Amino acid sequence: MTARAMADIYDANRPICKYVHSTSRGHEAIQLATGFLLNPCDFVSPYYRDESLMLGMGYRPYELMLQLLAKADDPFTGGREYYNHPNIRRDNYPQIIHQSSATGMQAIPTTGIAQGIQYIEKQQLRNYPIPPVVVCSLGDGSVTEGEVSEAFQFAVLHELPIIYLVQDNDWGISVSSDEARTMDAYEFAAGFKGMERVRVNGSDFIDSYKTMEYTINWVRKERKPILVHAKVPLLGHHTSGVRKEWYRTAEDLAKHAQDDPGPKLRKVLLQKGYTEADLDKIEQEEREYIASEFDKAVNAPEPDPSTVSDHVFAPTQVTEETGNRMPAGRDKVVMVDAALHAVEELLQDYPEALFYGQDVGRRLGGVFREAATLAEKFGDNRVFNTAIQEAYIIGSTVGMSALGLKPIVEVQFADYIYPGLNQLVTEISKSCYLSCGKFPISCIIRVPIGAYGGGGPYHSGSVESTLATIKGIKIAYPSNAADIKGLMKAAYLDPNPVIMLEHKGLYWSKVPGTDEAKMIEPDRDYVLPFGKGVLALEASQDAIDNGESICIITYGMGVYWAKNAAKQYPGCVDIVDVRTIYPLDEELIYNTVKKHGKCIVLTEEQLRNSFCEALAGRIAQNCFRYLDAPVMTIGALDLPAVPMNMALEAAMLPNADKVAAKIGELLSW
């Protein structure tokens, strides 16, 4: 009756409830039963129609209404997100990670929680007096999403303690079940060997309670996944913005009304001896209570606009370069080994660290040998292979991070990060911001990148511009062994999501002109903070004073193109290696440009709408009165093509020559 009164008052006050929202009408029985049965040690991911699940766990209607009305005291997102998009860390309540509006996308992060719980249990990192269970709530329409299948596959393969609660009301906005799928979620789950299944009448409270009680107890004991298919009616609108009368017939609405959980429960209570007057009194009390709660929420303070940028990132403690970068008496190492040693040291020092991805496990140790011997040293529970599931690899870090674990994961080639972008954009990048700092995602995503050898069009791509448009992630692009180790350590200590772009052509310095990527390996305590670029080459003061100098802003392989080109103009070139694309050391960049008055921005990417074009625009804007010539950009399509059958040894030379020509053009101004 509380949930019904809430839906009614929202509908009666549509001008006030102007933000899009859904209600739980028709789904109340299964949701309340689930909420009543969960323990504080458990985790749950409600979806946007699950307000009754929240009520069942003990949340006050006023708290939910604060989010409905985007108020400052909204305990979940501080007025930043739609109704019933909760996240919470609260004593004596189940925990809820950040919930997005992206349909079905919660399946992977929530399965990541179950993965993390299993890891903690196997590694004995902490003791759970009551074995936790994880509940992932889904609508039946969302089960057709490919990422739900990735979650199911991982859950059954690894036997994770998770319940997929699928509420099936036969509708996905205006798309009916018969025109969208050939099977319901219960039938679909049969294809995942090892997935237990159960059906329940989700409009019958007693059946729902008994079924969920059995299911939760079973998962606590067996530590395996199960899918609950709950058949429910849809009594309300899809959302306040998509009204039921727009697409549903009177016959369909009448059919669904027959399964309204309220009248069903009322009938049971009358049979048990309660009177009509008793039940009428309860309904009236709830209407009055909800009216009072709504009035309080309407009059609650609005958010302070000055806080709109708060929580994009969690604060990091790593702000200065520390440790020994060049210890005496050591040989130089290649970049791939420096990165490998950094990960090995992290696994040694932090039991909460683990490493997984495609082909990084025991047999191969990475297709670039970037994880060689790690599984042998740390075991298959800490370093292991996944299936070809970029979305799961990336998105599972959300759930792992919520448990205090630190996943280091790998996408095998930059070209194949795109299936994981949904998780990166909708779940990872926004979690800290939309949870008001409660759930920052602490993870490292390693991405081998760039052209090398005969990789062709699907193994040679550059994706930094795509990634740079995503607010809420940090991006490193080191160009040498010392930097990659120091940045890897900083990334681990950073509470935010970090993408490490690691150029394949620099891994072993086999490309002519890249020997300087090999460096003395820093000590294990060396940490290089993000946002600190460096002058990789410095011009002479005489050249600067005479106006015969230029600066090149670049990163990755571009550092070596620039260095080789600069040999034709000794003493005339400053090269800024930005090291990290976000945060970017703009102070170093602008100061260097102002010193020379002439600038090239160099990238391996294509230029149009790229990170480097945007950077060139900012340089022009911020350094305009210091510039003696337009800012020039050089990208992939400006560099001469190297035929695939040409010897690798020739690959560097045309690129360096092209850069040198641009240098000469600018110096002639």
Side-chain angles (χ1 to χ4, degrees):
M1 294 306 103
T2 306
R4 176 191 286 182
M6 290 166 71
D8 289 346
I9 204 166
Y10 298 164
D11 215 34
N13 290 272
R14 289 179 63 192
I16 298 173
C17 305
K18 57 184 179 290
Y19 303 109
V20 174
H21 62 271
S22 298
T23 72
S24 58
R25 287 291 287 119
H27 296 228
E28 300 97 331
I30 185 65
Q31 290 183 19
L32 288 167
T34 303
F36 291 151
L37 288 161
L38 292 174
N39 285 336
C41 64
D42 297 328
F43 288 78
V44 60
S45 286
Y47 81 124
Y48 50 77
R49 200 179 296 284
D50 283 356
E51 66 187 357
S52 286
L53 180 55
M54 301 296 291
L55 295 173
M57 288 187 287
Y59 288 91
R60 179 180 164 186
Y62 171 73
E63 294 180 287
L64 305 183
M65 293 171 181
L66 289 174
Q67 188 172 54
L68 170 78
L69 301 172
K71 296 293 187 173
D73 295 332
D74 159 24
F76 310 118
T77 65
R80 287 169 163 81
E81 199 162 6
Y82 282 162
Y83 182 55
N84 208 68
H85 286 59
N87 62 81
I88 203 78
R89 290 187 188 271
R90 182 181 286 181
D91 291 343
N92 300 316
Y93 285 75
Q95 290 193 49
I96 306 172
I97 61 173
H98 157 251
Q99 302 298 305
S100 78
S101 295
T103 305
M105 295 306 101
Q106 70 270 38
I108 286 177
T110 312
T111 304
I113 300 173
Q115 179 188 349
I117 289 171
Q118 183 188 75
Y119 179 79
I120 288 168
E121 290 175 337
K122 287 185 175 180
Q123 298 295 120
Q124 299 180 332
L125 298 182
R126 72 184 73 135
N127 179 45
Y128 290 120
I130 300 174
V133 301
V134 180
V135 176
C136 179
S137 179
L138 297 158
D140 194 68
S142 71
V143 176
T144 55
E145 283 279 8
E147 292 181 30
V148 175
S149 295
E150 289 194 23
F152 286 2
Q153 186 71 252
F154 197 94
V156 296
L157 179 65
H158 293 275
E159 298 187 335
L160 302 182
I162 186 168
I163 299 166
Y164 297 103
L165 172 59
V166 180
Q167 300 172 58
D168 183 0
N169 61 30
D170 278 332
W171 287 99
I173 309 185
S174 67
V175 180
S176 60
S177 58
D178 61 330
E179 63 181 313
R181 49 195 182 272
T182 60
M183 63 191 81
D184 63 26
Y186 180 87
E187 296 163 329
F188 180 66
F192 294 88
K193 185 178 179 181
M195 180 80 79
E196 295 295 322
R197 301 173 297 153
V198 62
R199 290 191 187 273
V200 60
N201 183 348
S203 66
D204 183 307
F205 178 76
I206 294 174
D207 188 16
S208 295
Y209 191 92
K210 289 180 177 178
T211 300
M212 292 309 299
E213 184 177 41
Y214 164 81
T215 300
I216 290 171
N217 289 337
W218 185 86
V219 175
R220 284 203 203 284
K221 179 182 178 183
E222 299 296 330
R223 317 307 284 152
K224 294 179 181 179
I226 188 169
L227 182 139
V228 177
H229 179 256
K231 195 68 178 176
V232 292
L234 177 60
L235 303 181
H237 309 286
H238 170 70
T239 67
S240 56
V242 182
R243 313 292 289 177
K244 59 187 178 183
E245 58 268 18
W246 295 352
Y247 60 92
R248 297 176 66 186
T249 65
E251 292 78 12
D252 178 72
L253 291 169
K255 175 185 174 183
H256 280 248
Q258 293 175 5
D259 282 323
D260 188 334
K264 283 187 174 183
L265 183 59
R266 186 183 183 97
K267 181 178 179 180
V268 171
L269 293 173
L270 290 172
Q271 292 172 349
K272 289 183 175 291
Y274 292 90
T275 67
E276 293 278 1
D278 293 331
L279 302 184
D280 288 344
K281 181 181 178 183
I282 289 173
E283 292 190 29
Q284 182 59 28
E285 286 175 346
E286 291 313 296
R287 283 193 292 268
E288 293 173 359
Y289 170 55
I290 291 306
S292 173
E293 293 282 272
F294 188 72
D295 285 343
K296 291 174 184 174
V298 168
N299 292 306
E302 302 291 333
D304 180 354
S306 68
T307 65
V308 71
S309 296
D310 292 355
H311 308 298
V312 174
F313 290 101
T316 179
Q317 301 301 312
V318 179
T319 57
E320 299 294 335
E321 186 173 2
T322 58
N324 190 353
R325 180 179 173 91
M326 294 188 66
R330 291 190 184 174
D331 294 331
K332 291 183 177 181
V333 298
V334 293
M335 271 184 66
V336 72
D337 285 347
L340 171 64
H341 298 160
V343 173
E344 181 174 346
E345 290 167 3
L346 290 169
L347 291 170
Q348 290 169 350
D349 294 343
Y350 299 98
E352 65 272 19
L354 66 163
F355 184 29
Y356 55 94
Q358 296 165 24
D359 295 302
V360 301
R362 183 182 298 267
R363 293 189 193 93
L364 185 59
V367 295
F368 304 104
R369 301 295 288 161
E370 72 283 4
T373 74
L374 291 180
E376 287 89 341
K377 292 176 179 177
F378 299 99
D380 296 329
N381 288 325
R382 294 190 70 190
V383 181
F384 57 90
N385 292 328
T386 66
I388 302 173
Q389 295 181 323
E390 288 84 2
Y392 189 87
I393 291 167
I394 291 174
S396 60
T397 65
V398 175
M400 303 286 277
S401 180
L403 290 158
L405 301 173
K406 183 76 176 196
I408 304 169
V409 300
E410 181 178 307
V411 173
Q412 197 167 85
F413 289 91
D415 310 70
Y416 299 118
I417 198 171
Y418 297 104
L421 282 187
N422 208 351
Q423 290 294 319
L424 192 61
V425 173
T426 64
E427 310 301 324
I428 289 178
S429 70
K430 295 179 174 64
S431 182
C432 186
Y433 180 71
L434 293 177
S435 68
C436 295
K438 294 190 293 294
F439 287 98
I441 309 304
S442 185
C443 67
I444 301 174
I445 302 170
R446 297 184 66 183
V447 183
I449 190 170
Y452 171 63
Y458 289 100
H459 294 80
S460 307
S462 295
V463 298
E464 59 265 30
S465 290
T466 300
L467 298 172
T469 64
I470 304 170
K471 186 183 288 290
I473 63 173
K474 296 186 177 182
I475 307 167
Y477 203 143
S479 67
N480 60 67
D483 285 356
I484 200 170
K485 185 169 185 180
L487 289 169
M488 192 77 76
K489 294 295 183 77
Y492 188 87
L493 298 172
D494 200 305
N496 299 288
V498 172
I499 296 182
M500 295 288 299
L501 299 177
E502 305 173 17
H503 200 290
K504 303 188 293 291
L506 298 179
Y507 264 160
W508 299 283
S509 290
K510 290 183 178 179
V511 175
T514 62
D515 283 346
E516 291 182 35
K518 294 186 285 189
M519 298 188 77
I520 300 294
E521 183 176 339
D523 279 342
R524 70 189 300 135
D525 65 346
Y526 177 64
V527 179
L528 179 61
F530 279 54
K532 301 289 186 182
V534 66
L535 284 175
L537 183 70
E538 295 189 56
S540 71
Q541 192 59 49
D542 284 345
I544 296 170
D545 293 341
N546 294 329
E548 298 173 348
S549 66
I550 186 173
C551 65
I552 301 175
I553 316 299
T554 189
Y555 52 89
M557 184 64 80
V559 172
Y560 301 97
W561 291 339
K563 283 186 174 184
N564 280 273
K567 291 175 182 177
Q568 299 183 38
Y569 301 92
C572 295
V573 182
D574 267 6
I575 299 173
V576 174
D577 180 354
V578 302
R579 288 172 165 168
T580 61
I581 287 173
Y582 195 89
L584 184 65
D585 192 346
E586 293 189 353
E587 181 180 5
L588 174 63
I589 292 169
Y590 297 155
N591 286 340
T592 306
V593 173
K594 290 173 184 178
K595 182 171 62 173
H596 298 280
K598 294 179 283 292
C599 174
I600 293 173
V601 182
L602 173 62
T603 179
E604 188 170 330
E605 283 194 297
Q606 62 84 28
L607 280 176
R608 185 166 296 278
N609 302 318
S610 67
F611 159 73
C612 279
E613 273 201 341
L615 176 57
R618 293 202 300 279
I619 291 171
Q621 181 177 342
N622 287 278
C623 304
F624 178 75
R625 66 191 184 97
Y626 298 92
L627 290 171
D628 300 321
V631 178
M632 284 193 174
T633 53
I634 306 178
L637 297 182
D638 291 317
L639 297 170
V642 178
M644 293 297 292
N645 61 351
M646 183 178 284
L648 182 62
E649 285 73 20
M652 279 299 300
L653 301 179
N655 298 341
D657 286 347
K658 185 71 174 182
V659 177
K662 289 283 188 179
I663 294 173
E665 184 180 341
L666 272 181
L667 288 178
S668 69
W669 279 68

